[in-house]
Amino acid sequence: NYITGIVTRSRAWHAVAVGASPRGSINLLLAARTIAACHGRNFVIPDDVKQIAPWVLRHRLMLRPEAEIEGVTTDQVVREILESVEVPRS
């Protein structure tokens, strides 16, 4: 749900013309699983998703021309989206 929330929010973000696709969410999940495995876990935590999200999503977002003119970067947008989506608590 956390990853779905991030990707869904990317499609509606004010500075984004084209957000991440469902395939982007799948790749974000796979990359987060890889981060978890590198840390010796067989489960993903939100920090894994946050760590890898800029790498997976930066090239999947197309910014609006107005945002690009203002100097907004995709990394800034990804960071803002991550801050806006509620982190799941267990």
Side-chain angles (χ1 to χ4, degrees), residues 16-67:
V16 177
V18 178
S21 68
R23 194 173 59 198
S25 62
I26 292 167
N27 288 325
L28 184 53
L29 175 60
L30 293 174
R33 284 180 177 172
T34 302
I35 295 294
C38 288
H39 287 96
R41 287 183 270 107
N42 62 355
F43 56 91
V44 172
I45 60 173
D47 286 343
D48 299 331
V49 176
K50 287 180 181 180
Q51 180 181 347
I52 202 67
W55 297 96
V56 174
L57 298 178
R58 79 168 42 111
H59 69 283
R60 297 177 187 278
L61 304 180
M62 184 168 37
L63 299 180
R64 294 186 184 279
E66 313 86 68

